[in-house]
Amino acid sequence: MNITGDHGDTIPTLPVGDAAGRRVEHLRDYVVAHGAVPACTTAGPKATWATRTSFALRVTYRRGRLDGGHVAALEALPGWSWDPRARSEARALAALRRYVAQHGHAR
């Protein structure tokens, strides 16, 4: 069964009992619309539904409750990371190293 989205696009429905699957599909749709997974690493008060969904899926994964199909689907998304903080820190460190290589200091 399919449903029609707000923009006339066809969205396949998932089994009612598969909350994680619905989250993965909603996040996939977000990536299609915006190009990448949102960068926010928390589910705080300023988080969007997409950042809260990403956060919830990471928690579900850490608890061992996310099946292999959902894991593979998430890992195929541009910008997906199981540890976005570590990824962000690695990017910052790489940028600092480039700056030091170019300027000879980190001041």
Side-chain angles (χ1 to χ4, degrees), residues 15-107:
V16 174
D18 188 7
R22 285 193 306 278
R23 286 183 174 141
V24 170
E25 286 297 310
H26 289 303
L27 194 56
R28 183 196 59 79
D29 292 342
Y30 177 92
V31 170
V32 167
H34 300 282
V37 174
C40 185
T41 61
T42 184
K46 293 184 178 181
T48 65
W49 71 266
T51 58
R52 286 190 301 273
T53 297
S54 298
F55 183 84
L57 288 165
R58 288 182 184 104
V59 169
T60 304
Y61 174 77
R62 283 193 296 272
R63 292 179 178 168
R65 297 182 185 159
L66 199 59
D67 75 39
H70 297 332
V71 170
L74 289 167
E75 290 175 346
L77 295 176
W80 180 260
S81 173
W82 292 111
D83 190 353
R85 280 195 188 113
R87 183 177 176 181
S88 177
E89 290 168 2
R91 284 186 194 155
L93 183 58
L96 177 61
R97 287 182 174 148
R98 284 191 305 273
Y99 181 89
V100 170
Q102 183 178 6
H103 300 284
H105 63 84
R107 291 178 274 177

